[in-house]
């Protein structure tokens, strides 16, 4: 059978959100000068350890509980040089069907100052509200995911008594899961997962740097049980620096993931397996 295409309502929703973003960016960058020239910074190296929990609450609701530990290179140690950020991202999600779910929640990110010569503060919190809309579509033995995530973030520099600035992040991710040793994604299956995510930003602090990040990732995963999976991969990313849109930062990141989805309801209340993770 041929997979069903996203509904007209879903496509219209996506176009409305995309149009709203570009209008916002245009308003913020109007009458502001662009950088004279562009240049790329040398790539940095990082390693991320991420856990993703989808905990069923009821027939349609689940708790999305994510914790990330992110390390960044130092002058003498690549990849895992020192801690850079700790994420706590949580939300309440709603399962509309096996092919669509949505989430709404908050984020507390702890940022650590990785500049060894900086005399300013060592730790600064960052606050976010986020909402997410994910479509999961089967294609033969594979699964295709389209994820739209919108974040409203308040950030502060490491300078003492600096003010918080507000920005919006507009994130679109395309992702595939391709089984390698089975005809479908089931326990005891290895899979490869190519992924591309574009992260745009808007706000008064965004002058000529709307493209915050472009992430290209390939991951190898293993489905241990219906409730537990593991994955690891490499990500290349680049994006404009906030203070100067003509400067592009780059990085290579090793990523390690654990996905768990406990369901403590009675057996008679459980729905069949649904396609949502990450």
């Amino acid at each position: 059978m041929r997979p069903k295409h996203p509904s007209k309502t879903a496509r219209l929703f996506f176009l409305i959100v995309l149009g709203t973003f570009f209008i916002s960016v245009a308003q913020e960058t109007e009458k502001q000068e662009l950088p004279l020239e562009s240049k790329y910074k040398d790539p940095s190296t990082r390693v991320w350890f991420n856990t993703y929990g989808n905990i069923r609450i009821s027939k349609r609701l689940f708790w999305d509980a994510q914790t990330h530990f992110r390390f960044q290179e130092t002058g003498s140690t690549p990849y895992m040089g020192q801690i850079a950020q700790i994420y706590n991202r949580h939300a309440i999600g709603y399962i509309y069907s096996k092919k669509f779910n949505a989430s709404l929640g908050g984020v507390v990110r702890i940022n650590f100052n990785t500049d060894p010569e900086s005399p300013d503060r060592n730790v600064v919190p960052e606050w976010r509200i986020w909402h997410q809309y994910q479509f999961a579509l089967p294609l033969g033995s594979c699964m295709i995911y389209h994820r739209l995530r919108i974040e409203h973030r308040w950030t502060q520099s490491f300078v003492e008594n600096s003010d918080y600035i507000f920005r919006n992040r507009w994130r679109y991710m395309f992702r595939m899961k391709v089984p390698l040793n089975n005809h479908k994604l089931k326990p005891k299956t290895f899979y490869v997962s190519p992924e591309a995510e574009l992260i745009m930003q808007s706000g008064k602090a965004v002058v000529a740097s709307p493209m915050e990040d472009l992430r290209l990732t390939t991951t190898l995963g293993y489905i241990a049980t219906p409730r537990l999976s593991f994955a690891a991969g490499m990500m290349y990313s680049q994006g404009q620096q906030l203070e100067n849109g003509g400067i592009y930062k780059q990085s290579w990141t090793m990523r390690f993931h654990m996905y768990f989805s406990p369901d403590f309801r009675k057996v008679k209340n459980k729905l069949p397996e649904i396609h949502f993770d990450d």
Side-chain angles (χ1 to χ4, degrees):
M1 293 180 61
R2 296 177 59 188
K4 294 183 179 179
H5 296 288
S7 66
K8 292 183 178 180
T9 302
R11 291 196 295 266
L12 179 60
F13 170 78
F14 178 76
L15 291 174
I16 290 173
V17 173
L18 193 63
T20 302
F21 163 73
F22 282 113
I23 291 173
S24 176
V25 171
Q27 290 175 342
E28 297 298 342
T29 58
E30 186 179 1
K31 297 181 181 180
Q32 301 202 19
E33 296 182 1
L34 295 175
L36 297 178
E37 61 181 12
S38 299
K39 68 176 183 178
Y40 281 82
K41 300 176 69 174
D42 292 335
S44 61
T45 57
R46 305 177 298 185
V47 61
W48 295 354
F49 296 97
N50 308 322
T51 65
Y52 300 90
N54 287 316
I55 303 166
R56 293 297 292 274
I57 299 174
S58 67
K59 182 178 179 180
R60 294 295 178 186
L61 297 178
F62 65 95
W63 171 24
D64 189 342
Q66 303 179 20
T67 304
H68 300 176
F69 298 90
R70 299 183 174 182
F71 295 81
Q72 183 174 309
E73 68 175 12
T74 60
S76 58
T77 308
Y79 291 101
M80 195 184 297
Q82 65 184 81
I83 186 71
Q85 296 101 25
I86 297 177
Y87 271 79
N88 268 296
R89 179 187 285 125
H90 297 270
I92 297 298
Y94 178 77
I95 304 166
Y96 178 77
S97 71
K98 291 177 66 175
K99 296 182 179 180
F100 177 73
N101 65 81
S103 303
L104 171 65
V107 179
V108 178
R109 188 175 96 163
I110 307 301
N111 298 315
F112 295 86
N113 193 343
T114 56
D115 183 358
E117 299 180 357
S118 174
D120 302 311
R121 293 179 294 175
N122 292 322
V123 181
V124 170
E126 177 180 325
W127 313 93
R128 300 181 188 177
I129 298 172
W130 68 291
H131 39 112
Q132 174 177 293
Y133 313 90
Q134 180 164 265
F135 299 85
L137 306 173
L139 180 63
S141 61
C142 309
M143 285 298 300
I144 295 177
Y145 299 89
H146 298 277
R147 189 185 75 187
L148 178 64
R149 178 181 292 174
I150 302 171
E151 298 176 333
H152 314 286
R153 63 191 301 206
W154 289 263
T155 62
Q156 189 181 34
S157 73
F158 292 102
V159 177
E160 198 71 42
N161 298 320
S162 58
D163 294 328
Y164 277 94
I165 62 173
F166 174 77
R167 285 175 286 165
N168 292 305
R169 298 177 99 202
W170 312 80
R171 305 174 56 167
Y172 169 73
M173 186 194 73
F174 173 84
R175 180 172 177 242
M176 293 185 68
K177 291 177 73 172
V178 183
L180 297 178
N181 62 325
N182 273 311
H183 65 282
K184 63 179 181 179
L185 295 162
K186 62 181 183 178
K188 313 300 182 183
T189 299
F190 288 94
Y191 65 87
V192 64
S193 180
E195 175 186 315
E197 183 176 23
L198 177 63
I199 304 178
M200 308 293 283
Q201 61 180 343
S202 63
K204 292 183 178 180
V206 182
V207 178
S209 52
M211 193 187 86
E212 182 176 351
D213 222 359
L214 173 63
R215 299 176 176 178
L216 304 174
T217 309
T218 300
T219 300
L220 178 65
Y222 178 70
I223 303 173
T225 72
R227 303 294 179 189
L228 184 64
S229 299
F230 301 93
M234 178 66 76
M235 178 179 75
Y236 169 76
S237 63
Q238 64 167 271
Q240 293 174 291
Q241 189 169 291
L242 178 63
E243 296 80 8
N244 186 339
I247 299 177
Y248 286 78
K249 56 186 184 295
Q250 303 180 85
S251 66
W252 289 97
T253 305
M254 292 190 296
R255 304 202 303 178
F256 300 89
H257 310 302
M258 181 180 73
Y259 304 95
F260 60 98
S261 53
D263 191 342
F264 301 109
R265 298 170 301 149
K266 294 181 180 179
V267 174
K268 66 179 182 179
N269 294 326
K270 294 183 180 180
L271 285 175
E273 180 182 0
I274 58 175
H275 303 294
F276 71 104
D277 55 18
D278 202 12

